[in-house]
Amino acid sequence: TCGSKKCFQPIVPNNVTYLQTYNCDKEKPPRQETKPAEKQIYQSDFVLLHFVHYSAITVNSALGPDETRQAGMNYIRRAHHKHDYKFDEENEAIMLHSRAISGRQTFNWNNSCKLENTGACTIGIPLPSGIAPTVGGQNKDENGDVYRDGNGYACNCYVHENIENYWVPRLETALKERGKLNK
């Protein structure tokens, strides 16, 4: 319950995908202000265990000192992967960090999402397409005013155009073919 303050239970409608619903990032790529945690992509036979938000336990990192030396490697008490690669977020790959929020997290959203400090709003209010990235995550125009949508809510995230225009339609087509999307 939210008392006298407005809140709502966030639900993704049956005619919209989770991908499209949560396609709203605080910073447009290439990210400069936000440094997301490194994400790993490994061949399946190389990863022994993986915990969400923690490092992978790989074949190499699970070796003890003697096993490491027998494999012809120097033993160091930290994982070392020779094939680390940083993706070009604009042209190769993007990690869309999406998560659902609870009704309690929407408490007083109708007021907090109208504040100048866009960090106070837990609801994604997308900036209009074509707006250039701004420093500091405040999404201000040339006059220093926060961009707002038609209802006066402060815009606090960017829609990834490639996800919206390329991946969402492909996913929708695949879901419709399987009878899993009501559009």
Side-chain angles (χ1 to χ4, degrees):
T1 178
C2 294
S4 63
K5 303 288 185 179
K6 282 191 176 182
C7 67
F8 63 92
Q9 188 61 43
I11 297 172
V12 176
N14 289 334
N15 62 342
V16 180
T17 65
Y18 277 85
L19 180 62
Q20 188 172 28
T21 301
Y22 294 107
N23 180 17
C24 212
D25 252 340
K26 297 279 184 197
E27 191 175 3
K28 203 171 196 173
R31 297 172 215 195
Q32 302 297 316
E33 299 289 317
T34 306
K35 296 292 183 195
E38 288 185 10
K39 306 302 180 213
Q40 303 110 355
I41 301 173
Y42 295 114
Q43 291 177 328
S44 58
D45 61 346
F46 185 68
V47 178
L48 302 178
L49 295 170
H50 194 276
F51 302 99
V52 175
H53 293 287
Y54 296 97
S55 295
I57 298 172
T58 65
V59 172
N60 289 352
S61 66
L63 295 176
D66 294 336
E67 296 166 315
T68 303
R69 290 184 191 98
Q70 287 173 357
M73 298 181 285
N74 293 327
Y75 179 75
I76 302 172
R77 289 198 179 269
R78 62 180 173 12
H80 177 71
H81 303 287
K82 296 178 182 178
H83 304 292
D84 283 354
Y85 178 78
K86 303 290 182 199
F87 285 95
D88 176 344
E89 287 186 312
E90 291 179 285
N91 299 306
E92 293 181 302
I94 184 96
M95 175 69 173
L96 178 63
H97 188 95
S98 61
R99 64 182 177 91
I101 60 172
S102 68
R104 173 175 265 177
Q105 290 173 293
T106 70
F107 177 78
N108 201 29
W109 75 275
N110 56 323
N111 290 322
S112 63
C113 294
K114 289 189 176 183
L115 298 173
E116 286 292 313
N117 176 5
T118 59
C121 179
T122 59
I123 309 300
I125 313 290
L127 276 99
S129 180
I131 299 295
T134 59
V135 177
Q138 290 298 310
N139 302 318
K140 295 182 179 180
D141 65 18
E142 62 277 354
N143 298 323
D145 297 323
V146 172
Y147 285 107
R148 297 190 179 277
D149 72 359
N151 296 314
Y153 295 112
C155 298
N156 59 7
C157 61
Y158 294 91
V159 171
H160 292 288
E161 300 298 331
N162 192 30
I163 291 174
E164 189 71 18
N165 299 323
Y166 181 79
W167 291 108
V168 168
R170 290 173 94 92
L171 178 59
E172 286 176 344
T173 299
L175 290 171
K176 284 180 198 170
E177 288 172 358
R178 291 165 179 81
K180 302 288 184 183
L181 186 65
N182 300 325
K183 249 191 176 177

